[in-house]
Amino acid sequence: MADYPVTPLTPPLSEQEIIRRQKLQGLIDAGQNPYEITRYDVTHHSLEVIDHFDALEGQEVSIAGRMVARRVMGKAAFASLLDGQGNIQIHVSRDVLGEESYAAFKKLDIGDIVGVKGTVFKTKTEMVSIEVTALTLLTKSLKVLPEKFHGLVDTDLRYRQRYVDTIVNPEVRDVFRKRSRIIAAVREFLDGRGYLEVDTPVLHTLEIGASARPFRTHHNALNLPMFLRIETELCLKRLIVGGFERVYEVGRIFRNEGMDATHNPEFTSVETYQAYADYNEIMEMVEELYEFVALKALGTTDVPYQGQIIHLKAPWKRITMADAVKEACGVDWTAWATDEEARACCEARDIYVEKNAKKGDCLAALFDEYVEAKLIQPTFIIDYPVDISPLAKRKPENPTLTERFEFFINGHEMGNAFSELNDPIDQRRRFEEQVAARKAQGINAEVDEDFINALEYGMPPTGGLGFGLDRMVMLLTDSPTIRDVLLFPTMKPVDK
């Protein structure tokens, strides 16, 4: 029997992989190539059969899935079939299936995908099973499944080969099913409040002056540099100018920055904009949104997360950034007369800030050092300095501050919102200051002139919100890292 073809580029094969290829070649030689099968008539799935046993007992069903376990006992065998809903046991016997088909079944390997027809019954141990009357090999698995993926020494392999992770670990599949329900619940909540879901461009021709670094590419036909978007904000606010009073986008975002437990270069954000609302109304909406989604996904607002119980029911705590810092370390930012004094305060506490940092930057650095990690229960940090809030509206009673908030859960920032700046003259000034600061750091940036042009036509008072959907999913699935809630997280190539 010839071996199944191996090309010069085929990686070295294990003994088991060689045997499986030989089995495949034998099937091909016998005119039974499983890869030529184009469809299989599936009438039921595993969970349907188990949940509706009383109605299906003794009835014929047809299911398909991956064989993930098998126990052969002479003339009969039990096997476990994994399909899109879960596992179900099948019973295969020589007397029912026939000698030739039973012999073919015994030659199958763990991981092979099969279709089975048979009748529904319960074993003596009350396990719902299928007595197989016909079995078809649909796909030959040429790789050996690990017994338990978590047991591998190289745990990164779970993320690199998610397709194996989700075969072996049912709890991983559950996370991504729950992620889908969470996204659907977010959309249901916003749609129910009259928001319109829209799509905005991923590719931009402008490298704006925001704090995040973009990925750069090139458009050959136009011979132009282009940038993957770092936010959906400015396009969505253009739509508010254009007369859409409530819009949102569930969008893929790209930031050319570091990676850690809560950061991936590619992630999903939700941004919402509501005309004639301010940040107080948006705060209330955030509380209602999290309650709604938690109840939809988990049935409770008391969420277990990494050993803590997070209480999502409103009202959430609210405190200004200045008061939070003063409570944590005793520093009163209003006592700083100059930016130099603010930088000196940080330097005295061994907290790094840029050499041209302003008072607002220094307050934010103190917040990061002394406050953020302690915000376990949901907390709104409000009234950010204008220095670090280029798109937020100033507070009328204190123009050095803005009507901006971020909300924190379990020591992590979960979202950002503000009463949107709609003064085109102030917006230009802040954009220009931001661009100058970026260029002083050796980073290219430009003023978005078209956005200024849009504001000059007039944008109504607007409340905006942006939050990381992946972090919401982490919270509601008790997942410690963002990689656990991304099907295919960014990974360094193995050879690097």
Side-chain angles (χ1 to χ4, degrees), residues 231-233 236 249 253 255 267-273 282 285-286 289-290 404-407 413-418 420 463-469 471:
E231 41 78 11
T232 55
E233 177 175 357
L236 292 176
E249 182 168 6
I253 304 299
R255 294 185 178 178
F267 62 97
T268 302
S269 80
V270 179
E271 290 203 42
T272 75
Y273 292 88
I282 302 302
M285 186 180 81
V286 168
L289 169 66
Y290 267 73
R404 174 187 175 189
F405 72 82
E406 290 182 307
F407 58 101
E413 182 258 317
M414 303 291 284
N416 183 27
F418 27 85
E420 302 294 336
L465 165 69
F467 65 91
L469 184 68
R471 294 187 186 181

Side-chain angles (χ1 to χ4, degrees), residues 52-81:
H52 300 96
F53 170 77
D54 291 342
L56 292 173
E57 183 179 14
Q59 301 296 311
E60 183 179 82
V61 297
S62 173
I63 70 169
R66 188 182 300 272
M67 186 169 67
V68 292
R70 180 175 58 181
R71 181 163 52 95
V72 178
M73 302 166 293
K75 298 179 181 180
F78 284 103
S80 179
L81 228 59

Side-chain angles (χ1 to χ4, degrees), residues 386 392-396 398-403 426 429-430:
V386 69
K393 183 169 286 192
R394 296 176 190 265
K395 290 181 70 67
N398 186 350
T400 65
L401 299 176
T402 61
E403 291 192 349
D426 191 8
R429 184 184 306 115
R430 290 199 230 172

Side-chain angles (χ1 to χ4, degrees), residues 117-129:
K117 292 181 180 179
T119 54
V120 179
F121 77 104
K122 272 188 180 178
T123 64
K124 293 179 180 178
T125 60
E126 293 294 301
M127 180 174 286
V128 175
S129 306

Side-chain angles (χ1 to χ4, degrees), residues 89-102:
Q89 179 173 272
I90 62 172
H91 182 252
V92 187
S93 73
R94 188 179 67 180
D95 293 343
V96 174
L97 197 59
E99 190 165 338
E100 184 178 340
S101 295
Y102 185 66

